[in-house]
Amino acid sequence: MKKRAWIVFFDESGVSLLPEVRRTYAPRGRTPLLRHRLNWKRAGMAAALGYHAADPECGPRLCFHLKPGSYDTTSLIEVLEQIRTFYAGEPVVLVWDGLSAHWSRGMRAWVAEQDWLTLERLPAYAPELNPVELLWSAIKTRELANLGGDHLADVVDAAERGIHRVCSSEQLPWSFLAHTGLTIHSQTPQN
């Protein structure tokens, strides 16, 4: 008898020393100033947010990866190797967008050798169907909002604090899925 798979949504994003400018409060007449170093150093973030297909009580699982620069096919394969370890070899249906590195010749060849992994593609121009996009939004509107770090490590630390905040909440990952309008189970557990 084959085990039921994890449905795992995947996405990449990035952070830099350029702050995520957000609305804030200040005393009347004192416009807040946001000072930062004009620097283009970037770190790439990847997240895999999984929901068990058979057991809603199992709870969502979030796997997070961070690296300097951006992702390419080789670095994405390294992330997928970590996801295999994270899900202990259980079957995974990975749902991701149409980024060229996701569907490159090298990626397709690597995936063809994996018996634990099935890939599904999100429709084009439909980020609203990926719960990981809401994860990025939650982090960028709270931990990264108006953060003008002196070093990329400051921004990376803030992003990791945001990931820990989301991981410590039982409700947030379910709310990300609910916001997409998608369902994994016939009835999603109450928050």
Side-chain angles (χ1 to χ4, degrees):
M1 184 172 155
K2 189 174 181 179
K3 291 192 270 184
R4 296 288 300 266
W6 283 86
I7 309 299
V8 178
F9 294 90
F10 186 91
D11 195 37
E12 306 88 0
S13 186
V15 293
S16 73
L17 288 177
L18 296 176
E20 296 285 332
V21 178
R22 297 292 186 250
R23 185 178 280 179
T24 187
Y25 293 99
R28 182 174 289 182
R30 292 189 183 165
T31 303
L33 296 177
L34 187 56
R35 298 185 191 279
H36 63 88
R37 298 177 184 271
L38 185 57
N39 191 319
W40 296 101
K41 288 184 181 176
R42 293 185 56 82
M45 303 184 297
L49 183 54
Y51 303 90
H52 199 277
D55 185 6
E57 300 302 320
C58 195
R61 297 189 65 200
L62 176 61
C63 180
F64 178 71
H65 186 267
L66 192 66
K67 72 178 274 324
S70 57
Y71 288 93
D72 59 8
T73 300
T74 304
S75 57
L76 283 173
I77 288 173
E78 291 171 8
V79 173
L80 292 176
E81 290 284 358
Q82 289 181 0
I83 290 172
R84 175 175 41 193
T85 302
F86 186 75
Y87 285 100
E90 291 187 62
V92 168
V93 176
L94 191 76
V95 182
W96 59 6
D97 57 25
L99 183 70
S100 59
H102 293 175
W103 303 100
S104 68
R105 191 172 291 154
M107 180 63 76
R108 288 191 312 250
W110 182 83
V111 169
E113 298 172 0
Q114 309 304 311
D115 62 348
W116 63 277
L117 182 64
T118 304
L119 296 182
E120 293 294 334
R121 186 175 182 164
L122 284 167
Y125 307 109
E128 69 276 4
L129 295 177
N130 192 342
V132 180
E133 295 285 354
L134 297 159
L135 167 72
W136 300 141
S137 179
I139 293 170
K140 289 181 178 182
T141 57
R142 188 160 173 183
E143 283 80 12
L144 297 176
N146 301 320
L147 177 64
D150 290 328
H151 305 284
L152 191 56
D154 300 334
V155 179
V156 166
D157 289 345
E160 287 178 337
R161 280 193 306 275
I163 291 294
H164 290 296
R165 175 178 57 87
V166 171
C167 286
S168 66
S169 169
E170 292 181 16
Q171 298 169 338
L172 275 175
W174 283 116
S175 68
F176 297 157
L177 180 65
H179 189 75
T180 66
L182 301 174
T183 57
I184 303 294
H185 312 101
S186 56
Q187 184 176 1
T188 304
Q190 297 297 318
N191 288 338

